[in-house]
Amino acid sequence: MSHFSQIKTQIRNLDSLKDALTELGVDWKPGPREVRGYRGQTHPAEVSIEQENGYDIGFRWNGKEYELVADLQYWQQNLSVDGFLRQVTQRYAYQTVVKETARVGFQVSEQQKNKDGSIRLVVQRWSA
């Protein structure tokens, strides 16, 4: 029986996920790689995060989105699983918005981090 848990996310763009993890200071490795779990079990992932205890965290494409894959019994991060996913999801959303707006000719003109942790972005596009 597998000890791995798969947690659904709304993350669909691998590059934005990687940029979000980098921005958060997470040391990640590109895949495909096997994330390590209980008693030598492994699970394939497109992104892996090695932990000091020898049990990894990964993000795996399930056909719709990148889900977090880990043996939660051996979670060894500064944040809870929910807190970690909240941070990753927020930075992922930020990266996605900035990339997509730039792709269609907009640029960020104002950025404000609010007390509640949310981010307010103002984008603009100059036309001739």
Side-chain angles (χ1 to χ4, degrees):
M1 184 169 110
S2 176
H3 271 238
F4 282 101
S5 296
Q6 290 92 26
I7 300 173
K8 291 189 182 291
T9 70
Q10 295 296 312
I11 296 172
R12 293 183 178 87
N13 183 292
L14 186 58
D15 289 333
S16 290
L17 170 61
K18 291 174 178 179
D19 290 343
L21 292 171
T22 299
E23 190 176 330
L24 290 169
V26 175
D27 184 21
W28 59 272
K29 306 268 188 291
R33 296 175 66 94
E34 297 290 323
V35 293
R36 303 166 296 171
Y38 180 70
R39 290 194 172 178
Q41 294 175 358
T42 62
H43 209 291
E46 281 71 34
V47 172
S48 69
I49 302 162
E50 295 178 353
Q51 299 185 112
E52 289 181 13
N53 63 6
Y55 299 92
D56 304 327
I57 301 167
F59 285 91
R60 173 184 88 91
W61 182 251
N62 68 9
K64 294 182 181 180
E65 70 250 334
Y66 289 93
E67 59 190 9
L68 182 125
V69 178
D71 187 334
L72 300 181
Q73 184 175 347
Y74 298 102
W75 185 262
Q76 190 182 44
Q77 298 296 305
N78 293 333
L79 297 169
S80 67
V81 175
D82 288 340
F84 176 78
L85 274 176
R86 260 193 309 276
Q87 270 196 351
V88 170
T89 301
Q90 182 190 46
R91 297 319 302 170
Y92 167 80
Y94 172 87
Q95 290 293 333
T96 301
V97 167
V98 169
K99 284 179 181 159
E100 284 301 306
T101 55
R103 188 179 64 77
V104 294
F106 287 85
Q107 60 187 26
V108 175
S109 64
E110 190 180 322
Q111 177 175 311
Q112 176 184 358
K113 186 164 186 174
N114 299 319
K115 289 181 182 177
D116 66 358
S118 64
I119 299 169
R120 179 178 177 270
L121 286 175
V122 177
V123 296
Q124 62 186 13
R125 175 170 52 186
W126 300 102
S127 59

